[in-house]
Amino acid sequence: MRRTERVFVENLGIHGFHGLIAEEKSLGQKFYADIECLVARDEAPSDTMNDAVDYGKVCDLAHDISASGPFNLIETLAERIGHGVMETFPLVSTVRVRIRKPNAPIRHFLDHVGVEIELSRD
């Protein structure tokens, strides 16, 4: 029997200096990340962390990658987090990263803008 696990983090708050405008790079702002990891396997995992995706480490990874910026585009931030997850967690077959920017410097009223990327192993 084939099974798929979905390990996820939702609404991870990240502070970063990402954006194209000088104020974004000097003042920084908050971003929110959703990170979803899919693990496909033929049998249930053991009851140890060696056989699991540590969501605490996923959060640490996202924070560290954001701190390594600044990035002009949140697409770049999402891409780097996605690649970091795939490199760090060999159990993950697919990762989906969604970055939301609640204080985008645009003149419209909205909750947030954002991007979502998905990476899969060949």
Side-chain angles (χ1 to χ4, degrees):
M1 181 182 312
R2 191 84 170 144
R3 65 190 302 280
T4 302
E5 297 166 12
R6 180 178 168 258
V7 178
F8 61 92
V9 173
E10 292 184 350
N11 287 324
L12 173 64
I14 301 173
H15 186 268
F17 297 89
H18 315 304
L20 293 171
I21 298 173
E23 290 79 13
E24 292 178 297
K25 291 193 183 301
S26 65
L27 298 174
Q29 61 189 302
K30 63 183 171 182
F31 300 87
Y32 291 101
D34 301 330
I35 305 165
E36 177 181 290
C37 304
L38 298 180
V39 177
R41 50 174 111 218
D42 293 327
E43 29 184 89
S46 66
D47 195 24
T48 67
M49 281 307 295
N50 291 336
D51 205 20
V53 176
D54 185 335
Y55 42 79
K57 289 182 181 177
V58 171
C59 293
D60 292 342
L61 176 73
H63 272 277
D64 292 347
I65 289 171
S66 180
S68 75
F71 306 116
N72 289 327
L73 302 175
I74 58 175
E75 289 88 342
T76 304
L77 176 60
E79 187 80 16
R80 299 268 174 98
I81 292 171
H83 280 280
V85 167
M86 295 297 270
E87 291 170 6
T88 306
F89 302 99
L91 288 173
V92 174
S93 59
T94 301
V95 64
R96 182 176 295 128
V97 179
R98 184 176 194 193
I99 304 292
R100 293 185 310 284
K101 186 175 181 176
N103 298 312
I106 57 178
R107 62 184 178 107
H108 301 283
F109 296 105
L110 47 79
D111 288 332
H112 55 265
V113 297
V115 301
E116 182 176 302
I117 65 142
E118 183 176 302
L119 302 173
S120 297
R121 297 193 193 278
D122 291 335

